[in-house]
Amino acid sequence: MSGKRSPVRRPTMKDIARRAGVSQSAVSFALNGRPGVSEDTRDRVRQVAEELGWRPSTAARALSGEGAATVGFVLARPAETLGVDSFFLQLVSGIQEVLAERHLGLLFQVVEDVEDECAVYRRWWAEHRVDGVLVVDPRTDDPRTGVLDELGLPGVVIGGAPDERHPGLSTVWADDAGAMAAVVDELYALGHRRIVHIAGLPGLAHTERRIRTLRAEAERRGLTGVTSVTTDYSDAEGAAVTRRVLEASAPPTALIYDNDVMALAGVAAATELGHAVPADVSVVAWEDSALCRMVKPWLSALSRDSVEFGRTAATELTALLDGGPARTVRVPVPRLIVRDSTGAARGA
């Protein structure tokens, strides 16, 4: 015995025709919703197809111009940072809920940079692999929207700027500026005047919006000890930056992290250096998750329904695939949940 298994034979239109007692052309007309067969024949063919477990071939659908029944999702981020990122896990969960209702597949790929991502879009388009795409991490100067416009590939930009318009592309966005302003308001009211924002990847549109808002809020209040430092979103860089800023001659009294993982790593690093949270330094995480409630003290965090964010993005994409117009949709502003990691600045 070789141990090699033969693949299970899939039912074909010929099998359906034989069992239903009709021609293969009648089966094709019935399953594709085309005229040429009676309603009784159409119902009988569909019932037999269901009994046999027949499903349309995505390759055949692509060749016939009927679509691939698949949505693409490319992520240009360091692969090692993805396993601990709760936002993307929840986002994909929401996306998948909507796609499953429509019997659409999700084709996911991780690449090195946006240049590789653009190459993936061109290949998918040429091979009829996807009907549309979900685009994440929009950049300040983003080449991907131009490529999608050129290809005529429908897409939804998740987290894009509300004032951007591209043919065939919808935008689902969150008010990062409003969320950052709310955090600064809370910290300022607690007496914090030296604040460091430990941000995510440089060049991302939402990273730049948060940095600009922090700078504007600081200028409005006449604060000079406020700054942002970009990272790769990893716990290693979150901890490293935390150590560096806390060992400065005038360390911050408050730290804002762009995700929950960096915030946890930052608390650990601060504790190792002898800084108590929140007595010596307050901590706020951008993404609320179970991790924020698995550390002492519990972390104050910006909370949003990331699963619903994914559902909204997928719903907008399916609307485009159904022939609807491109739209700009805003999701609720992330809400600051104050917990034990924020307190009054020492001496305030």
Side-chain angles (χ1 to χ4, degrees), residues 249-295:
S249 57
T253 63
L255 298 169
I256 305 169
Y257 294 86
D258 261 6
N259 70 13
D260 51 351
V261 173
M262 290 198 298
L264 262 68
V267 169
T271 303
E272 289 172 4
L273 293 174
H275 294 269
V277 178
D280 298 318
V281 60
S282 288
V283 170
V284 176
W286 198 273
E287 296 294 343
D288 190 25
S289 73
L291 292 178
C292 294
R293 302 181 298 279
M294 295 174 66
V295 65

Side-chain angles (χ1 to χ4, degrees), residues 23-43:
S23 66
Q24 289 188 57
S25 59
V27 171
S28 178
F29 291 153
L31 294 178
N32 289 302
R34 295 171 181 165
V37 294
S38 68
E39 286 304 312
D40 287 343
T41 299
R42 194 183 307 278
D43 291 342

Side-chain angles (χ1 to χ4, degrees), residues 120-246:
V120 170
Y121 292 149
R122 293 184 184 281
R123 186 174 71 252
W124 282 352
W125 173 82
E127 296 175 354
H128 304 275
R129 297 288 298 279
V130 298
D131 299 322
V133 295
L134 294 158
V135 181
V136 293
D137 288 344
R139 269 65 175 176
T140 48
D141 295 308
D142 203 325
R144 297 172 298 174
T145 53
V147 169
L148 295 176
D149 288 347
E150 172 194 335
L151 299 176
L153 193 58
V156 172
V157 181
I158 301 174
D163 55 349
E164 290 184 358
R165 297 290 186 273
H166 299 277
L169 297 181
S170 288
T171 298
V172 177
W173 70 286
D175 187 2
D176 294 286
M180 177 60 84
V183 173
V184 177
D185 281 341
E186 174 69 18
L187 294 176
Y188 186 82
L190 291 170
H192 295 281
R193 302 298 182 262
R194 298 193 304 276
I195 303 169
V196 171
H197 167 215
I198 300 178
L201 290 166
L204 298 187
H206 66 260
T207 300
E208 300 302 324
R209 285 197 295 267
R210 295 172 191 178
I211 290 174
R212 285 196 305 270
T213 303
L214 179 65
R215 185 183 303 123
E217 292 294 318
E219 290 175 355
R220 186 166 67 87
R221 294 175 170 85
L223 305 181
T224 57
V226 176
T227 188
S228 297
V229 183
T230 56
T231 70
D232 66 356
Y233 282 112
S234 70
D235 56 333
E237 286 206 10
V241 173
T242 301
R243 294 188 190 96
R244 187 166 74 246
V245 299
L246 289 181

